[in-house]
Amino acid sequence: MLKFIVKLHPEIAIKSKSVRKRFTKVLEKNIKMLLVRVDENVKVKNNWDNISVTSELSDEKTRLVLIDHLKRTPGIVQFIEVQETQFDTLDDIYQQTIALVEPLIKGKTFCVRVKRQGKHEFTSSDVERYVGGGLNQNVEGASVRLKKPDVTVKIEVKDNKAYIVRHQHFGLGGFPLPTQEDVLSLVSGGFDSGVATYQMMRKGARTHFLFFNLGGAAHEIGVKQVSHYLWKQFSSTHKVKFITIDFEPVVAEILENIESGQMGVVLKRMMMRAGAVVAERLGIPALVTGESIGQVSSQTLANLNVIDRVTEMLILRPLIQHDKEEIIRIARAIGTNEMAEAMPEYCGVISQKPTVKAQLHKILAEEEKFDFDVLNTVVANATVKDIRDIEAEAKEEVKEAESVSELPDNAVVLDIRSPEEEDANPLELDGAQVIHLPFFRLATKFGDLPQDKEYYLYCSKGVMSQLQALILHENGYANVKVYRP
């Protein structure tokens, strides 16, 4: 049997009784919804100060999957994996403890720490002394050390049950979904928007996706994959929408009519206008962006001030003070970094000397030259999909990028990993030629290769190679496949 005890987020525990009850009930429901996919008979119980999870299955595969789900559930800061036992005497607790921890403390220093709830004839210290003394006497090479021991044996006693802690795990923190209101995240597939979206999910906001397509079918496929991944990893207890707006006509109108230095700010204002319209239609009260102060020219305080004035809708920027290095670190932790690295940059407009101190009256004067029928038309033609349909749709769209696990004789494999990855783990294949061509040079250098051959793209997980293959196909190169050993 597998048993976990989910500890409440401290911010939930200090809320009023009614709010705490609502939050824990939502979290209980979300945990149940996720874990029944693994064990249809799993038991999830709200105990007011914690939530217990019990599965009659005990195999290692099930254990690891349950742990993975709990680690990715918003609202869980930590949870412990325990051995549950009923007891009548202190010796009952000791016998269960030694059976479990003897291999862990043999030849090591240890201490015993006990938390107790309920009415007992003994104190927590009594349990610590009894169990610790028994372990000290009966486990070969083990010795008590109260400060900085090799192993801390943790036991929780509640009424007539003892819970011997096998492992402690840490989760996302935040609040359960959807204890906050819905938000609409402007996603591009890059590092920033992916991390910003994750941060809102983690804070308990049901997060929908809005994509402004500036780069054609390959760009859309890539962003759909990133969005679906984020939803499936951190938000799959609740369905959300994925909205696509073809923004190329808007970009063309800006390039033709707006003064070069003002184009970046005008483009962002058009996106906020469109986002606000879509959000209002869907009853969503806030937009989310991945902007960070000073990261690019449009993200100065002066420019953000002018951008925000285009709408009365709340615009949230969870990354506003994050450094790029920190954003990339979070992307790596949540698993979006490889997809973000593979995503081509689609800037939309590139100004020679973009303004960093936009003035509202100048921007308004420039926007008078803009044909707003173009914006209204692309917003009216926006496509709205259920995020759950993206996976099946993506599988259909990526059929053109064929994957192989076995290579033909004399195959040419393009290792598109970064130089650091390639140096750390060089790719060596018998009977195949391996060319190292990093993904960030692929678009400009692939055309220089002999085009009478087929090429097999390789990366560590297959995600980046699939995206790059689709982009090359979009650019007319049909002689590309994906190698996934």
Side-chain angles (χ1 to χ4, degrees), residues 232-485:
K232 193 168 185 178
Q233 288 290 103
F234 308 110
S235 179
S236 65
T237 50
H238 295 81
K239 63 181 181 180
V240 300
K241 293 179 171 60
F242 182 93
I243 303 98
T244 301
I245 298 179
D246 179 6
F247 232 55
E248 289 189 87
V250 175
V251 172
E253 183 70 14
I254 290 173
L255 290 171
E256 186 174 341
N257 295 299
I258 304 300
E259 190 270 318
S260 176
Q262 316 298 323
M263 291 193 299
V265 173
V266 171
L267 176 62
K268 286 293 182 72
R269 281 169 59 89
M270 295 300 170
M271 288 179 172
M272 296 305 170
R273 280 189 176 97
V277 172
V278 171
E280 287 172 0
R281 287 177 183 171
L282 299 176
I284 299 172
L287 301 176
V288 177
T289 80
E291 291 162 318
S292 174
I293 291 177
Q295 191 174 117
V296 296
S297 60
S298 65
Q299 296 175 17
T300 63
L301 286 177
N303 288 358
L304 292 174
N305 180 32
V306 171
I307 291 168
D308 284 9
R309 292 183 183 223
V310 79
T311 177
E312 293 183 359
M313 179 162 286
L314 176 63
I315 301 174
L316 300 173
R317 295 183 171 93
L319 307 185
I320 195 66
Q321 54 78 40
H322 283 49
D323 296 329
K324 192 69 175 185
E325 184 178 350
E326 185 179 5
I327 294 169
I328 293 174
R329 178 184 60 77
I330 297 172
R332 190 174 293 117
I334 64 176
T336 59
N337 63 304
E338 186 173 316
M339 290 179 278
E341 286 175 345
M343 200 69 59
E345 289 286 341
Y346 295 103
C347 300
V349 297
I350 301 175
S351 302
Q352 293 298 321
K353 293 183 179 180
T355 182
V356 294
K357 291 186 178 180
Q359 298 178 40
L360 184 59
H361 71 277
K362 289 185 179 180
I363 294 295
L364 292 174
E366 288 297 317
E367 289 182 348
E368 288 182 0
K369 307 172 189 175
F370 185 90
D371 182 0
F372 279 89
D373 285 344
V374 174
L375 181 66
N376 295 335
T377 299
V378 299
V379 173
N381 292 333
T383 60
V384 181
K385 298 180 182 292
D386 187 319
I387 193 71
R388 296 173 296 180
D389 297 333
I390 296 294
E391 185 171 22
E393 184 180 278
K395 286 179 180 177
E396 290 298 314
E397 289 173 327
V398 301
K399 280 183 178 178
E400 57 180 295
E402 181 183 345
S403 295
V404 301
S405 57
E406 295 184 5
L407 295 168
D409 293 338
N410 303 314
V412 182
V413 176
L414 298 184
D415 183 352
I416 66 169
R417 295 175 297 168
S418 67
E420 293 79 11
E421 285 184 280
E422 196 271 339
D423 288 342
N425 188 21
L427 179 66
E428 297 179 0
L429 299 170
D430 293 333
Q433 179 186 3
V434 177
I435 299 174
H436 184 236
L437 185 60
F439 65 91
F440 49 80
R441 294 201 182 109
L442 198 59
T444 56
K445 297 294 185 181
F446 184 81
D448 297 337
L449 298 172
Q451 295 303 308
D452 59 344
K453 299 181 179 180
E454 280 197 334
Y455 295 93
Y456 298 84
L457 306 189
Y458 169 80
C459 68
S460 57
K461 295 181 181 177
V463 176
M464 187 187 302
S465 53
Q466 184 68 257
L467 284 174
Q468 292 294 334
L470 290 170
I471 292 165
L472 290 172
H473 284 190
E474 184 76 7
N475 291 329
Y477 297 105
N479 56 334
V480 180
K481 295 180 181 179
V482 173
Y483 172 51
R484 300 189 68 174

Side-chain angles (χ1 to χ4, degrees), residues 1-6 28 31-32 35 42-47 50-55 66 70 76 79-80 82 84:
M1 184 177 72
L2 298 169
K3 178 104 178 177
F4 303 92
I5 297 177
V6 176
E28 177 192 10
I31 292 172
K32 177 82 173 182
L35 300 192
V42 69
K43 295 178 181 178
V44 181
K45 183 180 178 184
N46 186 347
N47 302 310
N50 64 63
I51 295 173
S52 60
V53 176
T54 307
S55 172
L66 292 176
L70 291 171
I76 297 178
F79 58 100
I80 55 175
V82 300
E84 178 184 321

